[in-house]
Amino acid sequence: MERDSIRENPSPENSSMPGGPSSAALGQAFSQLLHRFTRQETHSGQGRDAIFQDLGALIEATEYDRLFEGNDTSVRGMSELLGEVAKALGRYSTPPKEEGGRGDGYSGVAEKATEVGLLFLKLLGKVETAKNSLVYPAWKTGLHHLAGPIYIFAVTHSVEQPWTSPRSQHVAGKVLSLLLQVSDCGSVAGFLHGENEDDKGRFGVIMGLLKPNLNKELWKNNPATKHVFSWTLLQVTRPWLNQYLERILPPSLLISDDYQTENKILGICCLHHIVLNVPAADLLQYNRAEVLYHAIFNHLYTPEHQLIQAVLLCLLDLFPILEKTLQWKGDTARPTTHCDEVLQLILTHMEPEHRLLLRRSYARNLPAFVKRLGILTVRHLKRLERVIIGYLEVYDGPEEEARLKILETLKLLIQHCWPRVSCRLVVLLKALLKLVCDVARDPNLTPEPVKTTLLQEATDCLILLDHCSQGRVKGLLARIPQSCQEGKVVNCIRKVQQASGGAHSDGT
């Protein structure tokens, strides 16, 4: 009986007022539906269907001027109530915490999301009608309370996830498109940071809604929380991001500090975005940059190639910020930097590393470190020499990414540190000649374009070695064409001899 009486009240036709229910009656109807949503009956299929049917009917039967009518106080109250309904619908469609990996825990979430999305489309349709009426500015108040919960719902379900289906993704995508349309925004970024000076955007509102679930105890209870946070964060760039730094930095650090590699990488990507889009002065304030550095640096001890790649890219963009505070006086030795510390560690890891994916991740970023340090790379020359020789000896698969990056590193090393490289001429020359011979004799493992690139890069290194050794390479290679039968090797040596002629007297 109680259930029947509750279901009778929300219906707009029960109002005695012509044209629909009064604001009070309409508010009571939404309040009762909201109350039913929090009751246990929503867990049963029949109860859930009844609530959605009643809510959909109430929205459809209510004219837009009834949803946004009255004085400022009543409009605000009705809008807040609609916002609470939107939040309840969003919570209802969130995926549950998944215990022990991805299994059947997400079954039914996509169906719920589809039902919720259809209701949101009806609500946004009413907002759009009110907006187009030209006489009802109160729709802005309603949209203010609806936009945040609806946005979170749409981002949660609009891309492929374990809890979504093609149908739920389609509906959520339509919800997001309509939300941008009624907000007069041409993009998600404009919706978040505002598209003009008078529009503050809704990024702060979204972060405020996410904040209660972005703490150490709760952030894993809803698997969509990290996705919505990270995706939203990446949409906002300079110059808007720095004003929200206190809201976005702690959750990013929290996610990066997780034990799961997937979450570590996600957190590092968020931190990298912050480094790229927040002014250096803001990151240096309160020692934030140092906190970032130590949090990211600790991940270098994890042998996961994807994580290492994300960490090194982030650190390379963080170094210029950290080193803004370093001042060098010409009468003292240059201070060691964070870049020195990181390069020393990765060279220590590179030397004995045998896993190809990790070797590629390290080698891929090594040239950037040499460029960053320049002449100061001499501090690491001995270990770099061992790494370069060791990596040039090992076949790296058809694409030869690691060996190509090591050759690029060697070229930069010779260019920046040539006075100290000439004394290592014989060791480096042997390693390069061995590489050239191995590539030339490789019958079929490496594609011809890759072989050509390898031989060209090795030839460039030999030419640079010859320049910095004042023509010694040319002399050491002079007799090889007379005894070598391999055409590719001979061709490589001839290029060195021709390019070196008359150029070595100036050093580099």
Side-chain angles (χ1 to χ4, degrees):
M1 293 295 295
E2 177 190 6
R3 181 170 167 179
D4 293 338
S5 62
I6 291 176
R7 289 192 60 184
E8 289 174 2
N9 291 329
S11 179
E13 289 78 11
N14 293 331
S15 172
S16 60
M17 289 185 63
S22 66
S23 296
L26 189 61
Q28 183 182 12
F30 276 111
S31 296
Q32 290 174 344
L33 285 170
L34 185 61
H35 173 69
R36 290 171 59 190
F37 229 83
T38 61
R39 291 170 52 181
Q40 188 67 25
E41 68 178 9
T42 59
H43 293 279
S44 66
Q46 185 176 1
R48 181 190 70 190
D49 293 342
I51 292 176
F52 274 91
Q53 183 179 0
D54 290 348
L55 187 54
L58 180 60
I59 294 172
E60 286 182 349
T62 306
E63 295 295 332
Y64 68 87
D65 55 346
R66 296 293 185 181
L67 286 174
F68 310 110
E69 71 175 349
N71 55 36
D72 291 343
T73 303
S74 61
V75 168
R76 192 180 306 113
M78 188 63 199
S79 298
E80 290 176 357
L81 182 57
L82 289 175
E84 291 300 318
V85 171
K87 289 178 184 178
L89 288 170
R91 287 192 297 268
Y92 172 72
S93 62
T94 55
K97 181 179 181 181
E98 185 71 7
E99 302 289 349
R102 297 175 179 177
D104 298 329
Y106 297 138
S107 60
V109 176
E111 180 183 352
K112 293 179 181 179
T114 302
E115 294 175 332
V116 170
L118 293 174
L119 286 177
F120 280 151
L121 287 174
K122 292 179 181 179
L123 264 178
L124 290 174
K126 294 293 182 179
V127 176
E128 186 176 29
T129 304
K131 172 187 169 184
N132 295 332
S133 71
L134 302 178
V135 295
Y136 256 90
W139 66 268
K140 293 183 179 180
T141 305
L143 182 61
H144 173 75
H145 291 279
L146 290 172
I150 291 179
Y151 170 86
I152 292 175
F153 163 82
V155 175
T156 299
H157 299 282
S158 60
V159 299
E160 184 177 357
Q161 296 286 355
W163 54 83
T164 63
S165 67
R167 171 68 172 158
S168 66
Q169 292 174 45
H170 175 71
V171 172
K174 289 178 64 177
V175 170
L176 184 58
S177 297
L178 185 55
L179 177 62
L180 297 181
Q181 180 178 320
V182 299
S183 303
D184 291 325
C185 295
S187 65
V188 173
F191 173 82
L192 293 171
H193 60 62
E195 298 203 332
N196 53 63
E197 294 181 357
D198 298 329
D199 183 8
K200 295 182 179 180
R202 296 169 179 83
F203 186 70
V205 173
I206 304 299
M207 290 297 110
L209 291 173
L210 293 175
K211 184 178 179 180
N213 294 319
L214 281 173
N215 57 60
K216 189 175 182 180
E217 290 74 26
L218 299 178
W219 76 276
K220 282 196 169 183
N221 288 346
N222 178 3
T225 299
K226 63 181 181 182
H227 162 67
V228 175
F229 170 77
S230 60
W231 193 88
T232 301
L233 171 62
L234 296 180
Q235 307 304 310
V236 182
T237 57
R238 275 180 201 265
W240 300 281
L241 194 61
N242 63 302
Q243 59 186 305
Y244 304 104
L245 186 56
E246 292 300 327
R247 294 191 180 190
I248 60 178
L249 187 55
S252 300
L253 289 168
L254 176 65
I255 296 172
S256 72
D257 194 38
D258 192 51
Y259 69 93
Q260 291 180 305
T261 301
E262 175 188 355
N263 292 332
K264 290 180 181 179
I265 295 173
L266 184 63
I268 294 297
C269 289
C270 293
L271 294 174
H272 193 183
H273 183 77
I274 292 172
V275 169
L276 291 174
N277 291 282
V278 172
D282 291 308
L283 291 177
L284 291 171
Q285 193 176 23
Y286 306 121
N287 220 27
R288 292 186 184 110
E290 284 289 340
V291 172
L292 279 172
Y293 171 73
H294 290 293
I296 299 168
F297 180 85
N298 290 334
H299 292 300
L300 289 173
Y301 293 96
T302 306
E304 297 286 346
H305 70 279
Q306 292 177 322
L307 177 61
I308 292 295
Q309 176 66 19
V311 166
L312 292 179
L313 288 175
C314 185
L315 286 173
L316 285 165
D317 286 318
L318 183 60
F319 291 148
I321 298 172
L322 291 166
E323 293 167 15
K324 278 183 176 293
T325 58
L326 296 179
Q327 295 181 351
W328 175 55
K329 297 179 179 180
D331 57 345
T332 60
R334 291 192 185 188
T336 56
T337 64
H338 297 86
C339 187
D340 284 299
E341 184 180 17
V342 174
L343 180 57
Q344 182 179 357
L345 180 61
I346 65 174
L347 289 175
T348 300
H349 290 169
M350 285 181 76
E351 199 171 347
E353 186 57 62
H354 63 279
R355 288 163 287 194
L356 288 179
L357 293 177
L358 264 175
R359 288 167 67 93
R360 289 170 190 159
S361 295
Y362 287 129
R364 190 180 299 128
N365 296 280
L366 200 54
F369 280 88
V370 177
K371 287 181 184 178
R372 178 74 197 162
L373 288 173
I375 185 63
L376 297 180
T377 310
V378 296
R379 294 169 172 168
H380 311 276
L381 204 52
K382 289 183 178 179
R383 185 162 284 163
L384 257 174
E385 176 192 323
R386 295 197 299 268
V387 168
I388 288 171
I389 293 172
Y391 274 57
L392 289 180
E393 290 178 348
V394 179
Y395 172 72
D396 186 49
E399 300 303 319
E400 292 281 21
E401 181 182 0
R403 289 211 278 197
L404 284 170
K405 286 298 180 180
I406 290 297
L407 286 171
E408 182 183 347
T409 302
L410 179 56
K411 286 168 63 176
L412 291 167
L413 186 64
I414 297 170
Q415 291 168 351
H416 288 293
C417 308
W418 60 269
R420 297 286 295 274
V421 170
S422 57
C423 62
R424 294 170 166 80
L425 174 65
V426 175
V427 175
L428 294 174
L429 181 58
K430 287 181 178 179
L432 288 169
L433 286 176
K434 184 178 185 302
L435 172 66
V436 170
C437 292
D438 289 345
V439 173
R441 294 170 182 171
D442 180 6
N444 50 26
L445 291 177
T446 307
E448 283 301 321
V450 178
K451 286 184 183 180
T452 302
T453 305
L454 274 172
L455 291 172
Q456 183 59 52
E457 292 294 311
T459 301
D460 292 343
C461 289
L462 289 169
I463 292 172
L464 287 173
L465 274 178
D466 186 67
H467 288 178
C468 76
S469 65
Q470 299 169 343
R472 289 174 59 195
V473 171
K474 181 181 177 182
L476 293 170
L477 298 179
R479 296 184 180 181
I480 293 181
Q482 301 173 8
S483 57
C484 181
Q485 302 297 321
E486 180 58 56
K488 291 182 179 179
V489 177
V490 173
N491 184 47
C492 175
I493 293 172
R494 284 177 178 167
K495 286 182 180 179
V496 175
Q497 292 173 327
Q498 293 168 3
S500 299
H504 56 75
S505 59
D506 296 329
T508 60

